Amino acid sequence: MSIPLNRRNLLLGVAASGLVQPAVAAAPDFGPLVKPSWSPEGPQGAAARKGLGFGAAVPSNLLNRSAEFRTLLARDCGLLLGNNEMKMAVVLPEPGRTDFAPADSVVRFARAHGQRLRGHALVWHEALPGWVAPLLAGAGPAKAEDFLRRWAETVMGRYRGLIASWDVVNEVMAGYGPVTRADGLRPSPWLTALGPDYIDLAFRIAHEADPRAALAWNEDSLEHDFPWAEAKRTRVLKRLEAMRAKGVPIRRFGIQAHLVSDQPFDAGKFRRFLREIGQMGLGIEITELDIDDKAYPGDPKARDRAVANFARRFLDVALDEPALLDVVTWGLFDGDTWLNDHPDHRRRDGLRQRPLPFDEAMRPKPFREALIAAFRHAPDHSALRARLRGTA
Ligand code: G3I
């Protein structure tokens, strides 16, 4: 039976969705954080010696079904997140139903392997279940704020105290596509419902929901050397400064780093951008690293070498920055990449992308070696990093 999407049903939907009673009380025991399982020889081992973290975004279905995949994660990663598991589309599929099973399995695995966790992504214009966009559009600011607060209590509350850093807002600044507003914000159902202060509000609400998590703004399309990207970097810095001045509880800035082989990269400009963020007292995370290899030759050996070279060039610049804390890849092996599903990232020769540290058969690639070498050669800023993490 289909239920008409009118205002009354939508508001009833919120009431019935499990959002009214935060799920905190019913949160299961996720087990103790055990001694880390990662190998000193792997990327997390090399990263740890510089006060850095390394990890990957993982799909829970693969985690649950592949022992080989679990072995890789346990050995190489000190940090995990679900790539979709804590998004609203997964957690609140329809009014009256919450689904925490996918996120719970990532959290359980990480705790059983001594790995830190990231949360992703509380407020995003994508991954909203179909019933929520019309709800936000019809709610008015007070009801929309109430909805956001209940959503934060529901998902952040369930994992309160277990998540090292949370992406509170994701991809909120326009730049890669058209910039339609003077403040540069990207159109979003959240912006429409709550107005331009929704970002600050989301941080304040998230801080109430999990006061110990380091709260992050996660942003895309900031790495390459285009005039529009430089303009976006400038707008980001301006907004970060304003947020700091207003006392918004932000502690981290996430740079996605979906790098593209045929796009220019200027080490100096990127380095300056990182420095400016670091000087504001924020920690920086590389949150979604992968390399679209479309400009590289089809031959897998040559392609893997070129991908590793670009990764190393990028990482050397990033890891030079004292405030850089963690490097996270968006998937760990080539069999699990979003790039093959996206029309902008198709290779002209029709071959599948090889953007990650392990190949489709989960064999290590030069990219993994590049990660280890970059961590080994990075300057040691562990003292500042510990202070920024709050573990000093
Ligand atoms: O699980 C359903 C499945 O049941 C159904 O049969 C199938 C049909 O399309 O869809 C499956 O869900 C898809 C899900 O990925 C799991 O594969 C969703 O439609 C699809 O929208 C979703 O895409 C994710 C996307 O974010 C949107 O949430 C990608 O996996 C994920 O890699 C991507 O990640 C984003 C980051 O969150 C933010 N930065 C960019 C990055 C890449 O786009």
Side-chain angles (χ1 to χ4, degrees):
M1 184 188 72
S2 84
I3 301 166
L5 271 187
N6 60 35
R7 189 177 150 76
R8 184 171 171 276
N9 284 341
L10 287 168
L11 292 174
L12 284 174
V14 182
S17 67
L19 288 172
V20 173
Q21 289 302 323
V24 191
D29 177 6
F30 292 104
L33 184 66
V34 304
K35 189 170 166 290
S37 60
W38 43 264
S39 153
E41 313 304 325
Q44 175 58 65
R49 291 192 276 279
K50 304 294 166 62
L52 291 158
F54 171 75
V58 299
S60 54
N61 53 5
L62 195 63
L63 180 75
N64 293 331
R65 118 177 140 238
S66 165
E68 201 184 351
F69 186 56
R70 290 195 293 274
T71 304
L72 286 195
L73 296 180
R75 191 194 60 199
D76 275 18
C77 295
L79 174 59
L80 287 190
L81 73 150
N83 50 9
N84 294 313
E85 286 52 15
M86 291 188 191
K87 291 174 182 172
M88 198 192 284
V90 173
V91 175
L92 305 179
E94 56 201 40
R97 192 157 74 83
T98 52
D99 187 359
F100 288 112
D104 283 359
S105 56
V106 177
V107 171
R108 253 191 214 103
F109 181 89
R111 295 200 51 88
H113 294 83
Q115 294 159 319
R116 285 182 297 119
L117 282 155
R118 301 196 79 250
H120 174 86
L122 189 73
V123 170
W124 191 22
H125 61 282
E126 281 187 42
L128 292 169
W131 61 278
V132 166
L135 180 149
L136 285 176
K143 284 230 160 61
E145 178 175 337
D146 190 44
F147 177 73
L148 172 55
R149 182 165 279 110
R150 289 169 197 277
W151 161 232
E153 282 168 0
T154 300
V155 66
M156 296 183 75
R158 184 174 181 90
Y159 306 110
R160 195 194 332 262
L162 307 181
I163 307 287
S165 64
W166 248 107
D167 290 333
V168 173
V169 296
N170 189 39
E171 303 175 3
V172 291
M173 197 62 99
Y176 174 63
V179 180
T180 53
R181 298 169 49 97
D183 59 12
L185 291 181
R186 179 202 291 264
S188 155
W190 295 105
L191 172 60
T192 308
L194 291 161
D197 289 335
Y198 83 99
I199 296 173
D200 298 357
L201 178 70
F203 275 92
R204 295 191 197 284
I205 286 175
H207 187 61
E208 287 164 25
D210 187 354
R212 280 197 278 157
L215 303 183
W217 166 2
N218 192 43
E219 193 56 61
D220 68 299
S221 308
L222 292 164
E223 305 79 12
H224 286 286
D225 183 25
F226 294 112
W228 62 260
E230 186 65 8
K232 178 166 178 171
R233 288 189 283 269
T234 305
R235 282 198 306 274
V236 163
L237 293 172
K238 204 170 137 207
R239 182 166 281 271
L240 281 174
E241 261 162 24
M243 288 167 81
R244 297 293 275 166
K246 281 185 276 185
V248 175
I250 178 173
R251 282 173 52 197
R252 303 270 175 93
F253 188 76
I255 295 174
Q256 292 188 358
H258 292 293
L259 305 179
V260 185
S261 50
D262 64 0
Q263 297 187 1
F265 174 66
D266 183 308
K269 284 184 194 160
F270 188 62
R271 184 71 191 82
R272 280 194 291 282
F273 176 61
L274 299 181
R275 191 71 293 258
E276 298 224 25
I277 300 172
Q279 278 168 345
M280 291 182 211
L282 296 168
I284 304 171
E285 301 180 53
I286 301 298
T287 51
E288 305 187 13
L289 178 63
D290 56 16
I291 297 179
D292 170 335
D293 64 20
K294 64 176 161 225
Y296 298 150
D299 170 60
K301 261 203 158 129
R303 193 145 42 117
D304 290 351
R305 177 46 51 206
V307 164
N309 288 346
F310 192 2
R312 179 68 196 273
R313 203 167 138 230
F314 176 80
L315 287 167
D316 282 351
V317 180
L319 300 180
D320 188 50
E321 167 53 47
L324 198 294
L325 300 178
D326 293 318
V327 175
V328 179
T329 53
W330 203 246
L332 197 60
F333 78 114
D334 295 340
D336 172 39
T337 174
W338 67 290
L339 292 168
N340 289 323
D341 305 328
H342 199 288
D344 288 358
H345 298 289
R346 296 237 162 86
R347 286 180 58 91
R348 249 182 285 165
D349 57 15
L351 294 172
R352 289 164 66 76
Q353 292 268 353
R354 300 177 66 89
L356 290 165
F358 290 82
D359 71 8
E360 295 212 3
M362 298 192 202
R363 288 175 304 226
K365 294 164 55 191
F367 187 168
R368 177 176 182 268
E369 290 312 308
L371 279 161
I372 295 172
F375 289 133
R376 280 204 184 125
H377 289 95
D380 187 357
H381 297 299
S382 27
L384 176 78
R385 288 176 178 142
R387 275 205 300 284
L388 286 168
R389 286 187 204 283
T391 55

